[in-house]
Amino acid sequence: MDDQTELKTGVDAVHCSSEKLDKALLALKVRHTVTEHQIDRVNDFTKRIQEDSSGVSLDELNIRLKALHSAFDAFNKEQTKIEEKDFDEISHPNRSKYEELYYCIATTLKVCISKLNNSDSNQTVNASHAILPGEKYDTVKLPKNRIARIFWLNTFTKLHHLVSKLSPAAKASITGIKIIAGNYEIILQRLKDRFKNKKIIGNQHIKQILEHPKIIYANAADLRELIDTMNNHLIGLGNINRPVESWDDLIVYIITSKLDPDTLNKWNEKAPIDRLPTLSELLNFLKRR
């Protein structure tokens, strides 16, 4: 076989392999879209019962919750496969968007199942069913109107989700306030008053950037986490009017200090020689790894 024929054979093989990869990736994305629509439909159902719960049975709520779990499990598996084939997908916000949506829907449905299971026969319930563990509670009167009860439960769902995301320091700021639906606005305002302090917010973002752990061995998951961490905290600093757009030199230095030796060596081979690289150049390089 002469050089020309061998070259053509090699090119054809690469082209064929690329086509197979494209088709496989496309098939994954199609299935992924179907799964997203399944989650969206459960979300639409949840919104509807918050407006009007008449005619909704406990069995239907359980079926919807089971469908949500199944769809989200499929979503995670498909998203991982897509990211393995297309590294650019790692920085796409799709995964975090649907994770957050899943937790919100699941929490709402579980609370509705728990409450509506007994709400018709019990107009008064112990707040132990509507507060977080470890909190003191009194007896709480639920609204007698079923739709009003749904709104009450939705407020509690938001409160439960909020408190579950708080750091120990943030939880300390609401110590003494009963974690019940009626105190949602009070708790929210207390947190806003406490954490609107730009100095505290800025220091926390900077701390997370500086203390992000160094990557030991090159792998996509750790690189994705590093990129997301830096982007998220830079956005947070930008939100309090810090001039992050002029910090490229500093942030590039910090990020490269977190890289594993292999990735760092490859970056040094690609980085500009006669000038300091931009943050965009570094992030684009990491996304292709």
Side-chain angles (χ1 to χ4, degrees):
M1 182 184 295
D2 59 31
D3 290 345
Q4 197 69 22
T5 304
E6 188 174 343
L7 177 61
K8 184 178 184 305
T9 302
V11 170
D12 289 343
V14 170
H15 182 67
C16 180
S17 175
S18 177
E19 283 187 343
K20 288 181 179 178
L21 178 61
D22 289 344
K23 288 180 180 178
L25 184 58
L26 178 61
L28 273 173
K29 289 187 175 182
V30 169
R31 290 201 299 272
H32 203 44
T33 300
V34 172
T35 306
E36 289 173 357
H37 288 334
Q38 290 173 339
I39 296 174
D40 289 336
R41 284 196 293 273
V42 181
N43 187 38
D44 290 340
F45 167 79
T46 306
K47 290 178 180 177
R48 287 199 304 273
I49 67 171
Q50 289 172 2
E51 296 173 359
D52 181 8
S53 63
S54 58
V56 177
S57 68
L58 187 61
D59 286 341
E60 183 175 8
L61 289 173
N62 281 312
I63 290 171
R64 296 279 187 172
L65 183 59
K66 184 177 180 180
L68 176 68
H69 291 326
S70 177
F72 186 67
D73 182 57
F75 171 88
N76 265 332
K77 291 176 180 177
E78 290 157 1
Q79 182 69 27
T80 299
K81 289 179 181 178
I82 290 172
E83 289 169 357
E84 288 172 351
K85 293 179 181 294
D86 184 357
F87 192 83
D88 287 341
E89 287 286 336
I90 290 177
S91 59
H92 197 278
N94 207 41
R95 181 188 286 273
S96 58
K97 170 191 169 183
Y98 275 92
E99 279 181 354
E100 195 67 23
L101 185 60
Y102 165 75
Y103 293 132
C104 288
I105 300 171
T107 303
T108 300
L109 289 177
K110 285 181 179 180
V111 171
C112 286
I113 289 169
S114 174
K115 296 297 180 181
L116 295 180
N117 194 28
N118 297 313
S119 62
D120 288 331
S121 58
N122 296 305
Q123 298 301 330
T124 302
V125 297
N126 280 335
S128 57
H129 297 294
I131 63 176
L132 298 179
E135 298 291 336
K136 294 181 179 179
Y137 59 87
D138 301 317
T139 297
V140 174
K141 290 279 188 180
L142 286 178
K144 292 185 178 181
N145 179 275
R146 195 177 188 190
I147 295 176
R149 283 200 301 271
I150 291 291
F151 280 110
W152 186 94
L153 293 170
N154 187 47
T155 300
F156 169 68
T157 300
K158 291 190 293 184
L159 177 59
H160 179 84
H161 184 70
L162 170 65
V163 174
S164 70
K165 296 291 185 181
L166 296 179
S167 66
K171 285 182 180 178
S173 70
I174 58 172
T175 299
I177 304 177
K178 292 186 178 70
I179 311 301
I180 57 176
N183 286 340
Y184 175 73
E185 294 297 336
I186 296 172
I187 290 171
L188 190 61
Q189 190 58 50
R190 174 71 66 85
L191 291 170
K192 285 180 178 179
D193 292 342
R194 172 68 176 81
F195 293 100
K196 271 187 176 179
N197 188 310
K198 290 185 178 181
K199 179 180 178 181
I200 294 175
I201 295 171
N203 284 340
Q204 188 61 30
H205 284 305
I206 293 170
K207 181 175 184 290
Q208 294 300 318
I209 288 173
L210 293 176
E211 294 184 0
H212 188 86
K214 180 181 175 67
I215 298 174
I216 305 301
Y217 302 106
N219 67 88
D222 284 348
L223 282 175
R224 178 178 66 198
E225 184 181 354
L226 176 62
I227 293 170
D228 289 346
T229 296
M230 297 301 163
N231 278 333
N232 291 341
H233 290 296
L234 287 173
I235 290 171
L237 287 163
N239 288 339
I240 57 171
N241 301 319
R242 303 312 301 144
V244 293
E245 64 279 354
S246 63
W247 293 358
D248 276 25
D249 297 348
L250 177 62
I251 300 301
V252 166
Y253 180 84
I254 292 172
I255 292 177
T256 53
S257 72
K258 310 290 185 183
L259 298 177
D260 61 277
D262 181 55
T263 303
L264 181 58
N265 287 337
K266 286 184 169 55
W267 162 246
N268 287 332
E269 292 172 2
K270 296 284 186 180
I273 298 175
D274 56 348
R275 62 174 175 82
L276 290 170
T278 65
L279 178 58
S280 178
E281 288 173 330
L282 174 58
L283 293 180
N284 286 336
F285 165 79
L286 294 177
K287 288 175 184 177
R288 292 193 296 269
R289 289 286 292 157

Short mmCIF file of all heavy atoms in Angstrom, two decimals, residues 196-219:
data_model
loop_
_atom_site.label_atom_id
_atom_site.label_comp_id
_atom_site.label_asym_id
_atom_site.label_seq_id
_atom_site.Cartn_x
_atom_site.Cartn_y
_atom_site.Cartn_z
N LYS A 196 -26.61 40.50 53.86
CA LYS A 196 -26.46 41.53 52.84
C LYS A 196 -25.13 42.26 52.99
O LYS A 196 -24.79 43.10 52.16
CB LYS A 196 -27.62 42.55 52.94
CG LYS A 196 -28.82 42.17 52.10
CD LYS A 196 -29.85 43.28 52.10
CE LYS A 196 -31.01 42.96 51.19
NZ LYS A 196 -32.03 44.02 51.20
N ASN A 197 -24.41 41.95 54.04
CA ASN A 197 -23.12 42.59 54.30
C ASN A 197 -22.12 42.20 53.20
O ASN A 197 -21.70 41.05 53.10
CB ASN A 197 -22.61 42.15 55.67
CG ASN A 197 -21.37 42.91 56.09
OD1 ASN A 197 -20.42 43.03 55.33
ND2 ASN A 197 -21.40 43.42 57.31
N LYS A 198 -21.74 43.17 52.38
CA LYS A 198 -20.88 42.88 51.23
C LYS A 198 -19.49 42.40 51.65
O LYS A 198 -18.86 41.61 50.95
CB LYS A 198 -20.76 44.11 50.34
CG LYS A 198 -22.05 44.45 49.61
CD LYS A 198 -21.84 45.61 48.64
CE LYS A 198 -23.13 45.90 47.88
NZ LYS A 198 -22.96 47.01 46.92
N LYS A 199 -19.03 42.87 52.79
CA LYS A 199 -17.71 42.44 53.25
C LYS A 199 -17.72 40.95 53.57
O LYS A 199 -16.82 40.20 53.18
CB LYS A 199 -17.30 43.25 54.49
CG LYS A 199 -15.95 42.84 55.05
CD LYS A 199 -15.59 43.68 56.28
CE LYS A 199 -14.25 43.23 56.86
NZ LYS A 199 -13.90 44.02 58.06
N ILE A 200 -18.76 40.51 54.27
CA ILE A 200 -18.88 39.09 54.62
C ILE A 200 -19.03 38.24 53.37
O ILE A 200 -18.38 37.21 53.20
CB ILE A 200 -20.07 38.87 55.57
CG1 ILE A 200 -19.82 39.57 56.91
CG2 ILE A 200 -20.32 37.38 55.78
CD1 ILE A 200 -20.99 39.51 57.86
N ILE A 201 -19.90 38.70 52.47
CA ILE A 201 -20.14 37.95 51.23
C ILE A 201 -18.86 37.85 50.40
O ILE A 201 -18.48 36.77 49.93
CB ILE A 201 -21.25 38.63 50.40
CG1 ILE A 201 -22.58 38.56 51.14
CG2 ILE A 201 -21.38 37.97 49.03
CD1 ILE A 201 -23.68 39.38 50.51
N GLY A 202 -18.19 38.99 50.24
CA GLY A 202 -16.96 39.01 49.44
C GLY A 202 -15.88 38.12 50.03
O GLY A 202 -15.23 37.36 49.30
N ASN A 203 -15.69 38.21 51.34
CA ASN A 203 -14.66 37.39 51.99
C ASN A 203 -14.96 35.90 51.83
O ASN A 203 -14.05 35.08 51.66
CB ASN A 203 -14.56 37.74 53.47
CG ASN A 203 -13.83 39.05 53.70
OD1 ASN A 203 -13.10 39.52 52.82
ND2 ASN A 203 -14.03 39.66 54.85
N GLN A 204 -16.24 35.55 51.89
CA GLN A 204 -16.61 34.14 51.75
C GLN A 204 -16.32 33.63 50.34
O GLN A 204 -15.81 32.51 50.16
CB GLN A 204 -18.10 33.95 52.08
CG GLN A 204 -18.55 32.51 52.16
CD GLN A 204 -17.82 31.71 53.23
OE1 GLN A 204 -17.42 32.25 54.24
NE2 GLN A 204 -17.63 30.43 53.00
N HIS A 205 -16.64 34.44 49.33
CA HIS A 205 -16.34 34.04 47.95
C HIS A 205 -14.83 33.88 47.74
O HIS A 205 -14.36 32.90 47.14
CB HIS A 205 -16.89 35.08 46.97
CG HIS A 205 -18.37 35.01 46.78
ND1 HIS A 205 -19.02 33.86 46.39
CD2 HIS A 205 -19.34 35.95 46.91
CE1 HIS A 205 -20.32 34.09 46.29
NE2 HIS A 205 -20.54 35.35 46.61
N ILE A 206 -14.06 34.84 48.23
CA ILE A 206 -12.60 34.79 48.08
C ILE A 206 -12.03 33.58 48.81
O ILE A 206 -11.13 32.89 48.30
CB ILE A 206 -11.96 36.10 48.60
CG1 ILE A 206 -12.37 37.27 47.69
CG2 ILE A 206 -10.44 35.97 48.65
CD1 ILE A 206 -12.01 38.63 48.23
N LYS A 207 -12.55 33.30 49.99
CA LYS A 207 -12.10 32.15 50.78
C LYS A 207 -12.31 30.85 50.00
O LYS A 207 -11.42 29.99 49.95
CB LYS A 207 -12.86 32.10 52.10
CG LYS A 207 -12.47 30.97 53.04
CD LYS A 207 -13.21 31.12 54.36
CE LYS A 207 -12.79 30.08 55.39
NZ LYS A 207 -13.27 28.73 55.03
N GLN A 208 -13.48 30.72 49.37
CA GLN A 208 -13.78 29.50 48.62
C GLN A 208 -12.87 29.36 47.40
O GLN A 208 -12.46 28.25 47.04
CB GLN A 208 -15.25 29.50 48.18
CG GLN A 208 -16.25 29.41 49.32
CD GLN A 208 -16.07 28.16 50.16
OE1 GLN A 208 -15.86 27.07 49.63
NE2 GLN A 208 -16.15 28.30 51.47
N ILE A 209 -12.54 30.48 46.77
CA ILE A 209 -11.64 30.44 45.62
C ILE A 209 -10.24 30.00 46.04
O ILE A 209 -9.63 29.11 45.44
CB ILE A 209 -11.58 31.82 44.93
CG1 ILE A 209 -12.90 32.11 44.20
CG2 ILE A 209 -10.40 31.90 43.95
CD1 ILE A 209 -13.00 33.51 43.63
N LEU A 210 -9.74 30.60 47.11
CA LEU A 210 -8.37 30.32 47.54
C LEU A 210 -8.23 28.93 48.15
O LEU A 210 -7.17 28.29 48.02
CB LEU A 210 -7.93 31.37 48.57
CG LEU A 210 -7.77 32.80 48.04
CD1 LEU A 210 -7.42 33.75 49.18
CD2 LEU A 210 -6.70 32.86 46.95
N GLU A 211 -9.28 28.44 48.80
CA GLU A 211 -9.17 27.18 49.53
C GLU A 211 -9.66 25.97 48.74
O GLU A 211 -9.72 24.86 49.27
CB GLU A 211 -9.94 27.28 50.85
CG GLU A 211 -9.32 28.29 51.82
CD GLU A 211 -10.02 28.33 53.16
OE1 GLU A 211 -11.00 27.56 53.35
OE2 GLU A 211 -9.58 29.11 54.03
N HIS A 212 -10.02 26.19 47.48
CA HIS A 212 -10.44 25.04 46.67
C HIS A 212 -9.28 24.05 46.59
O HIS A 212 -8.14 24.44 46.33
CB HIS A 212 -10.84 25.48 45.26
CG HIS A 212 -11.46 24.38 44.46
ND1 HIS A 212 -12.80 24.09 44.52
CD2 HIS A 212 -10.91 23.48 43.60
CE1 HIS A 212 -13.06 23.07 43.72
NE2 HIS A 212 -11.93 22.67 43.16
N PRO A 213 -9.54 22.77 46.81
CA PRO A 213 -8.44 21.78 46.87
C PRO A 213 -7.72 21.60 45.53
O PRO A 213 -8.32 21.75 44.47
CB PRO A 213 -9.15 20.49 47.30
CG PRO A 213 -10.58 20.69 46.92
CD PRO A 213 -10.85 22.15 47.08
N LYS A 214 -6.46 21.28 45.62
CA LYS A 214 -5.65 21.01 44.44
C LYS A 214 -6.03 19.66 43.85
O LYS A 214 -6.32 18.71 44.58
CB LYS A 214 -4.17 21.00 44.83
CG LYS A 214 -3.20 20.74 43.68
CD LYS A 214 -1.77 20.74 44.20
CE LYS A 214 -0.78 20.37 43.10
NZ LYS A 214 -0.71 21.38 42.05
N ILE A 215 -6.06 19.58 42.53
CA ILE A 215 -6.36 18.31 41.85
C ILE A 215 -5.09 17.45 41.85
O ILE A 215 -4.01 17.92 41.47
CB ILE A 215 -6.83 18.57 40.41
CG1 ILE A 215 -8.12 19.40 40.42
CG2 ILE A 215 -7.04 17.26 39.66
CD1 ILE A 215 -8.58 19.84 39.04
N ILE A 216 -5.23 16.22 42.28
CA ILE A 216 -4.07 15.33 42.36
C ILE A 216 -3.83 14.60 41.04
O ILE A 216 -2.72 14.58 40.51
CB ILE A 216 -4.25 14.30 43.50
CG1 ILE A 216 -4.54 15.02 44.82
CG2 ILE A 216 -2.98 13.44 43.63
CD1 ILE A 216 -3.48 15.99 45.26
N TYR A 217 -4.90 14.01 40.51
CA TYR A 217 -4.81 13.29 39.24
C TYR A 217 -5.81 13.88 38.25
O TYR A 217 -6.93 14.21 38.63
CB TYR A 217 -5.10 11.79 39.44
CG TYR A 217 -4.17 11.12 40.42
CD1 TYR A 217 -4.62 10.77 41.69
CD2 TYR A 217 -2.85 10.85 40.08
CE1 TYR A 217 -3.77 10.16 42.60
CE2 TYR A 217 -2.00 10.24 40.99
CZ TYR A 217 -2.46 9.90 42.24
OH TYR A 217 -1.62 9.30 43.15
N ALA A 218 -5.39 13.97 37.00
CA ALA A 218 -6.26 14.57 35.97
C ALA A 218 -7.53 13.75 35.80
O ALA A 218 -7.47 12.54 35.58
CB ALA A 218 -5.51 14.64 34.64
N ASN A 219 -8.67 14.39 35.93
CA ASN A 219 -9.95 13.74 35.65
C ASN A 219 -11.00 14.80 35.38
O ASN A 219 -10.94 15.91 35.92
CB ASN A 219 -10.38 12.81 36.79
CG ASN A 219 -10.71 13.56 38.06
OD1 ASN A 219 -11.84 13.98 38.26
ND2 ASN A 219 -9.70 13.77 38.92
#
